[in-house]
Amino acid sequence: MEMGFRWDFAYEILPQMLWATLNTIIAAGVGYAIALVVGLFFLLGQRTPFKIVNIINREIVEFVRSTPLLIQLFFVYFVLPQFGITLSAWLCGMITIGLHFGTYLSEVYRGALEGVPKTQWEACRALNFSTIYTYRRIVLPQAFPIAIPGMGNYLVGIFKDTPLLSTIGVAELFHAATAVGGYNYRYLEPYTMVGIIFLILSVPAAMWVRRLETKVNLAQGKIKQ
Amino acid sequence: MSYFAFLAEHGTTLLLGTVTTIKVLVCSIILYVIISMIFGLMRLSKNPIIQGTATVYIEFFRGTSLLVQLFWAYYVLPFFGISLEAFTAGVAALGLNFGAYGAEIVRGGILAVPKGQWEAAHALNFSPAKRIKRIIIPQIFPIILPPAANLTVELLKATALVALVTVVDLTFEAKQINSITWLSAQCFGTALLIYYFMARFALVPFLRWLEVLAAKKVGRGKA
């Protein structure tokens, strides 16, 4: 077998890899969108005045957060059919990623809401604003900037966890690389290219999130260092 | 087949897998702590070459996916004449990946020690070694331990990935049992529970205990 990096082979598989990259981006985007919504539900469960709901919510979040995403994927993919629910690998992957990262995002939301000073609430109470008006016009506009860096971090996080979807057969970038590698019996180029594509996409994204974070901190009057 | 019959038949296999998972976890914790300290310090160096090396390392390992690094270590390194055993490749990839995240925590922790502490130690004519050992390091631990604890729980979850490069850990055994018996709910459910118990009732309490210990050392703990 030829040693070293074969550029011609890398060039040959490039179009295939780029198409698969598109799938990875779609998977990350859809998973993120679901996670954003799921996070809201967990936040709601945490803030309802019913103690029982709070406790159950807390335990579910703890459980999902302290077990590996990989086994959760297997669980959803293999167990649901036992109960007569057969979903495609794509759907299973999206649901699992949405649920898993939804728990993380609910923590981001919570942190952001708690980041709004209590005095803001008291002032609204003093001005006789309704709760909904307080949320809509006073609290959420202040909480949102605080949540942005955390939300951005998890977007990058989801993007980097999409290769796990290949284990249940979602045809994203890593799956394509494994298939190409197996077909030609050369793993060097496909896996290296996957690494490079991930670097190209996630390093600028992470930098952008960090810039955003600095901006938010500046706007909040918390200048770092 | 009842759940107890399932446990009686496959419980030992899953437990053996759990032992491997714990081995992977302990080895990669040791590796990642060492790497984060080295690169965290390098990141603060005034020498641009040392600092640049650390930055490139951190960006590289945080920018690519852990699974890609794992497969690269196991399937691609042999092309360069380096054949690692699955266990070694798994621990190396986990340690290198989490070391990059840990380095940033260490860097942040060192920067968070108030400047006045350095200056006071200097004013009292402490030697540089004593300054670091007696003044700075005891104050770093309470700052870095909470985020490091989160990272370590993430590491426990990430150890599941080594099953994909044929390390026979808990995830691998669960998958294996699933493919023999097709009792998916039982085997993956049990695996999820084992991971949950390991994280919630062993790893997290241990890390909390370390945090309390570190806080007490600098007189911030509750007696």
Side-chain angles (χ1 to χ4, degrees), chain A residues 59 65 82 104 160 192 202, chain B residues 62-63 65 154 157 182:
Chain A
E59 288 306 310
R65 278 171 56 118
Q82 286 190 343
Y104 284 92
K160 278 185 288 187
T192 308
S202 71
Chain B
R62 293 205 311 178
S65 179
E154 290 294 316
K157 287 158 56 183
W182 286 103

Side-chain angles (χ1 to χ4, degrees), chain A residues 7-8 11 36 39 45 59 65 84 96 113 143 168 189 193 195 209:
Chain A
W7 288 99
D8 57 325
Y11 187 71
L36 286 178
E59 288 306 310
R65 278 171 56 118
T96 317
L113 279 181
I168 56 168
E189 291 84 3
M193 285 166 76
V209 171

Side-chain angles (χ1 to χ4, degrees), chain B residues 30-118:
Chain B
I30 294 170
L31 186 61
Y32 113 77
V33 168
I34 294 171
I35 290 176
S36 10
M37 286 200 269
I38 294 173
F39 282 91
L41 285 171
M42 280 170 71
R43 194 88 160 73
L44 289 168
S45 165
K46 289 200 179 75
N47 183 329
I49 298 172
I50 295 178
Q51 201 202 358
T53 315
T55 309
V56 168
Y57 168 82
I58 290 170
E59 288 302 329
F60 178 80
F61 278 95
R62 293 205 311 178
T64 50
S65 179
L66 173 61
L67 190 61
V68 180
Q69 290 157 18
L70 206 56
F71 272 62
W72 216 86
Y74 189 63
Y75 290 109
V76 176
L77 278 187
F79 279 97
F80 299 107
I82 308 164
S83 290
L84 296 178
E85 237 179 281
F87 186 89
T88 322
V91 169
L94 284 171
L96 288 168
N97 183 285
F98 280 78
Y101 288 92
E104 285 291 282
I105 294 178
V106 170
R107 184 184 78 99
I110 295 173
L111 287 177
V113 174
K115 243 197 165 141
Q117 297 286 329
W118 292 88

